[in-house]
């Protein structure tokens, strides 16, 4: 996971650039955090910055560690709210922005909020995937538990049964 987060941080240097733009701004010797090119996408970036996905992977891992290997969607929801408050300007997920409009309901019953929020809006972004990566990493030895926990966490931010089923199946098939 450390390698993935470091790679995410380095990838941020060239995110949204064409190969020609990346080659213009960087050489193989200067693709490091000290050569952060500032543009409209990276105008507030700092050295070592990672994407929201890396934050969510670590957020879920912290929750799993706190609960001694148990996935607790209420604890995850509380951590998600705190993280969102500090990072909302960097988050492009329409699902998370919609859910954060009622933070108390999210922390008390995330699945019900996701269900009611999606009744008038189709939410199909990928923000439940990073948390599922953490579940798969920590519970790789028990595929049925990975699938069950992945469905629980994804359903705390999304209500689409097809999305929830497909994401949890993807993660269990990747482990097989």
């Amino acid at each position: 996971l450390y390698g993935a987060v470091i790679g995410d941080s380095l990838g941020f240097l060239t995110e949204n650039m064409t190969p020609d733009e990346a080659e213009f701004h960087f050489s193989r010797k200067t693709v490091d955090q000290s050569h952060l090119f500032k543009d409209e996408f990276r105008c507030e970036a700092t050295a070592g910055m990672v994407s929201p996905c890396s934050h969510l992977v670590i957020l879920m891992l912290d929750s799993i560690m706190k609960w001694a290997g148990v996935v607790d969607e209420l604890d995850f929801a509380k951590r998600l709210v705190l993280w969102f408050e500090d990072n909302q300007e960097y988050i492009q997920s329409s699902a998370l922005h919609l859910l954060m409009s009622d933070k108390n309901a999210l922390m008390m019953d995330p699945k019900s909020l996701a269900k009611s929020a999606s009744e008038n809006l189709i939410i199909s972004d990928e923000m439940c995937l990073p948390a599922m990566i953490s579940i798969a990493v920590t519970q790789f030895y028990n595929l049925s538990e990975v699938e069950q926990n992945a469905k629980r966490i994804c359903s705390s931010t999304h209500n689409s049964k097809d999305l929830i089923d497909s994401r949890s199946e993807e993660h269990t098939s990747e482990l097989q």
Side-chain angles (χ1 to χ4, degrees):
L1 287 177
Y2 287 121
V5 173
I6 291 167
D8 184 33
S9 179
L10 288 173
F12 183 72
L13 296 172
T14 59
E15 190 172 347
N16 289 340
M17 287 185 182
T18 65
D20 288 340
E21 289 172 325
E23 191 173 331
F24 176 79
H25 293 291
F26 300 101
S27 72
R28 291 187 187 275
K29 294 178 183 177
T30 62
V31 178
D32 62 47
Q33 296 299 320
S34 65
H35 293 92
L36 177 62
F37 173 73
K38 298 274 187 161
D39 60 5
E40 65 276 358
F41 181 72
R42 283 164 277 280
C43 62
E44 295 184 27
T46 58
M49 189 170 188
V50 295
S51 73
C53 290
S54 286
H55 286 260
L56 292 175
V57 167
I58 293 170
L59 196 78
M60 186 75 237
L61 281 173
D62 282 345
S63 179
I64 291 170
M65 288 173 49
K66 177 186 177 196
W67 289 96
V70 176
V71 174
D72 183 307
E73 58 267 35
L74 295 178
D75 182 67
F76 178 70
K78 289 174 186 170
R79 291 169 185 269
L80 190 61
V81 166
L82 292 173
W83 170 77
F84 185 86
E85 288 172 351
D86 291 338
N87 297 283
Q88 63 186 335
E89 68 270 12
Y90 305 111
I91 300 168
Q92 298 173 354
S93 168
S94 59
L96 286 180
H97 281 280
L98 179 62
L99 293 172
M100 293 301 163
S101 64
D102 192 349
K103 294 174 186 169
N104 289 330
L106 179 64
M107 290 187 288
M108 291 170 54
D109 189 359
K111 188 174 182 176
S112 292
L113 179 62
K115 183 178 181 181
S116 67
S118 66
E119 288 175 355
N120 297 321
L121 180 66
I122 296 172
I123 301 173
S124 61
D125 68 22
E126 305 288 331
M127 288 309 285
C128 64
L129 290 176
M132 287 192 220
I133 292 168
S134 300
I135 293 168
V137 167
T138 60
Q139 300 168 343
F140 66 92
Y141 54 88
N142 187 340
L143 294 181
S144 64
E145 189 170 351
V146 169
E147 184 172 4
Q148 179 186 24
N149 285 329
K151 284 181 179 182
R152 282 181 38 223
I153 291 299
C154 192
S155 67
S156 68
T157 57
H158 295 77
N159 187 48
S160 165
K161 182 173 176 7
D162 292 338
L163 178 71
I164 293 166
D165 289 344
S166 69
R167 296 306 176 248
S168 60
E169 288 170 13
E170 284 174 18
H171 282 288
T172 53
S173 66
E174 289 170 6
L175 292 173
Q176 293 177 340

